[in-house]
Amino acid sequence: MYIYVKVHNRGWVSNTSNDGNWLHIYWAKSAAGLTQASWKGLEQFNGKVTGGHIASVNVGLLDPGKTKVLVIPWNLPEEYVSGPADDNHFCLLARIFKSEEDDEVPPITITPWYDVVSDKCAAQSNVSIIKDEGLCKGMKLQMTNVYDNDHEYTLEVKIPNKIDSEIFDLAKISLEMSEPLYEGWFKGDLQQDNLTYYPNIKERTVYLNSEASKLKSILMKGNEHQDFVLKFNFFKGSSETNKHYSVDVIQRDKLGNIVGGERFVVYSPDISDEKFGIIKDIDSNGVYMLTADIDEENQSFIWVDSANDIIGVTKSIVVDSNIGHKSNGCVKAIAYNDKGEIKVANTDLEENNYIESIENNKISICVKMKDRVDGNGNLLQMISVLGDGSTQKMSKIIETGKDSITLDITTLPHGIYCISYIKDGNILDSKTIKI
């Protein structure tokens, strides 16, 4: 494996081999915050070294305004070569200074991380390219406390170009925290800006809504490392082929210093034309069980309503009739497999419509049901609150096998009445009538 580093002479004089300018290359396990100790191979996490010095190369002759590419061979430590695939994501750092040996270290008391932004002789590559199967798996990243003492941090989103903000119209971007990281956020009172949080669906997962999204006041112990997974759940494809978007995730300390971050280059998937069905079961209380009718293995799912709010993340979900009203009856299921293929299915949740019609002849009303009543425990109730605060109420059992019932209204005062169809104590449908 080789690393290619482009070096540019921005000065006014030529650099020669005798000038003693050496390019030093370092690697580190991908993390939103990286310390100098990590880059230098002085840290371990879960029994593995988190980084190290790769090599030093003399820059050599380079005239003003000129650029050259230096090639450095790189052999990963064996524990990463034979380790799981999702553990093999790394960051690279290039620094130029006078010594061939890696012994020129800025005082740790200044900052425990390398301030690459302010250093004209340093460059860092923290880029993850996500496409195909990576969309289903997501990208695991570390959040690191770069200080020896307890500290609080913010994770925030930045969009490098305005056009990249389109990704928020195409995908739900989820950030799933490890349990200790979630506990740190919980201890910080779950502070956030412009996030969506569904604790009843996935307690340790939040969704980033825009470039203003922030996960704030995450409390971490000294030198603590914790994982989080960023996942791009597309529910729409881009109109352009091979379209990609850039999203930056930045880690700040409580003073606002940027201690690290990662750029994600995300390729929009092709949405398959192949459809799948949604199996709908509804119980007597108007509660739906929705199941994606797809048998492929290694699938992950996300369900959204018409406002693209998430209502579930498993193959089968349970929703009540209120979801149908809120989303105009439309629910969408998106299925992802480990090859990066995405399929979308839609279904309509019909509003409860047990009462088909009501006929009023001023002596009685005839309530027509949509279907014949099946079983016992079916009741039609007629109720009104009059102007003086008194309540008029009439109830009548609907016989099994009947699809209509007649109510005598000659003794009832005029007013607006609510007629409800009730089964086993649950109101399944209601309509109003004036008599």
Side-chain angles (χ1 to χ4, degrees):
M1 183 162 34
Y2 294 90
I3 300 169
Y4 297 82
V5 182
K6 184 182 290 185
V7 182
H8 182 73
N9 186 349
R10 297 191 296 179
W12 296 95
V13 297
S14 296
N15 181 81
T16 68
S17 299
N18 296 326
D19 289 332
N21 285 319
W22 290 81
L23 172 72
H24 290 257
I25 299 295
Y26 309 81
W27 70 275
K29 183 72 178 69
S30 182
L34 291 167
T35 64
Q36 293 186 31
S38 179
W39 288 114
K40 289 180 167 293
L42 303 177
E43 279 187 353
Q44 285 195 346
F45 178 64
N46 288 339
K48 294 182 180 180
V49 65
T50 59
H53 183 258
I54 298 173
S56 59
V57 179
N58 194 297
V59 175
L61 178 64
L62 189 59
D63 292 327
K66 297 298 182 179
T67 297
K68 68 189 310 184
V69 175
L70 300 177
V71 182
I72 299 96
W74 179 27
N75 294 315
L76 269 176
E78 179 59 31
E79 59 260 38
Y80 286 107
V81 174
S82 57
D86 64 354
D87 202 31
N88 292 344
H89 176 53
F90 306 99
C91 302
L92 297 173
L93 171 68
R95 300 171 59 229
I96 294 177
F97 50 87
K98 292 292 185 181
S99 173
E100 181 180 0
E101 300 299 323
D102 177 35
D103 57 359
E104 196 170 288
V105 182
I108 298 293
T109 53
I110 297 177
T111 63
W113 66 91
Y114 283 123
D115 187 6
V116 178
V117 176
S118 303
D119 190 348
K120 66 180 181 180
C121 292
Q124 187 172 328
S125 176
N126 290 24
V127 179
S128 297
I129 298 175
I130 302 179
K131 61 191 303 186
D132 300 334
E133 65 271 13
L135 293 170
C136 178
K137 296 178 181 178
M139 182 63 68
K140 184 165 69 173
L141 200 64
Q142 275 188 1
M143 188 170 177
T144 304
N145 184 355
V146 299
Y147 298 102
D148 294 331
N149 58 316
D150 294 357
H151 205 83
E152 65 180 52
Y153 291 93
T154 294
L155 281 177
E156 62 183 59
V157 176
K158 293 294 182 184
I159 300 297
N161 302 295
K162 187 175 181 180
I163 188 65
D164 293 316
S165 61
E166 182 182 294
I167 193 171
F168 295 104
D169 297 324
L170 305 178
K172 287 289 186 181
I173 305 175
S174 63
L175 190 156
E176 182 177 1
M177 295 166 270
S178 67
E179 188 168 344
L181 196 61
Y182 171 78
E183 289 176 358
W185 184 47
F186 184 85
K187 291 176 181 177
D189 295 329
L190 304 178
Q191 294 188 48
Q192 53 89 9
D193 287 341
N194 204 34
L195 297 177
T196 303
Y197 179 42
Y198 305 96
N200 294 331
I201 297 177
K202 293 193 77 173
E203 183 182 36
R204 293 185 281 111
T205 299
V206 297
Y207 293 86
L208 313 177
N209 295 327
S210 74
E211 59 181 307
S213 295
K214 294 181 181 180
L215 197 63
K216 302 164 66 176
S217 296
I218 306 169
L219 303 180
M220 300 187 73
K221 298 176 182 178
N223 300 313
E224 183 180 9
H225 298 69
Q226 290 300 334
D227 291 334
F228 66 89
V229 176
L230 201 69
K231 189 175 178 183
F232 296 84
N233 307 284
F234 280 84
F235 51 84
K236 289 172 61 178
S238 172
S239 57
E240 301 179 35
T241 303
N242 214 31
K243 178 68 175 178
H244 61 271
Y245 303 91
S246 295
V247 178
D248 295 340
V249 176
I250 294 171
Q251 180 180 337
R252 292 185 187 269
D253 66 11
K254 64 181 179 182
L255 299 177
N257 298 309
I258 296 176
V259 301
E262 183 90 3
R263 171 162 293 180
F264 296 87
V265 179
V266 187
Y267 281 77
S268 172
D270 293 326
I271 306 298
S272 173
D273 292 331
E274 184 181 347
K275 303 297 182 182
F276 62 91
I278 295 178
I279 301 171
K280 291 186 293 184
D281 292 313
I282 184 170
D283 66 15
S284 60
N285 297 320
V287 175
Y288 287 88
M289 166 73 81
L290 304 178
T291 302
D293 189 13
I294 186 169
D295 294 327
E296 296 179 24
E297 296 182 352
N298 301 319
Q299 292 279 344
S300 59
F301 299 89
I302 189 169
W303 297 75
V304 297
D305 60 20
S306 62
N308 290 326
D309 287 329
I310 294 174
I311 56 176
V313 291
T314 53
K315 184 175 182 178
S316 295
I317 65 170
V318 176
V319 296
D320 60 31
S321 57
N322 290 330
I323 292 293
H325 298 301
K326 176 186 174 185
S327 60
N328 297 320
C330 182
V331 168
K332 183 184 296 182
I334 306 101
Y336 309 79
N337 66 19
D338 57 1
K339 298 177 183 177
E341 298 170 338
I342 295 180
K343 300 175 183 178
V344 179
N346 298 280
T347 189
D348 291 324
L349 303 184
E350 297 178 358
E351 294 187 12
N352 296 337
N353 191 18
Y354 295 92
I355 300 175
E356 185 172 0
S357 64
I358 301 175
E359 296 179 3
N360 181 5
N361 61 14
K362 297 185 180 181
I363 297 175
S364 63
I365 59 172
C366 180
V367 180
K368 176 82 171 173
M369 309 302 293
K370 186 175 182 181
D371 297 300
R372 293 183 184 276
V373 171
D374 182 18
N376 299 320
N378 299 281
L379 183 70
L380 200 71
Q381 185 179 82
M382 188 170 175
I383 189 168
S384 177
V385 178
L386 304 180
D388 60 2
S390 62
T391 300
Q392 292 290 326
K393 184 176 180 180
M394 177 188 296
S395 299
K396 193 169 184 179
I397 294 174
I398 309 174
E399 296 178 14
T400 299
K402 300 290 186 178
D403 64 356
S404 65
I405 188 171
T406 300
L407 300 175
D408 184 354
I409 60 172
T410 55
T411 61
L412 295 177
H414 295 298
I416 303 296
Y417 286 78
C418 176
I419 299 177
S420 299
Y421 172 55
I422 301 172
K423 181 176 176 61
D424 298 327
N426 299 296
I427 299 175
L428 302 185
D429 196 6
S430 295
K431 296 188 183 303
T432 58
I433 185 174
K434 183 178 181 180
I435 64 173

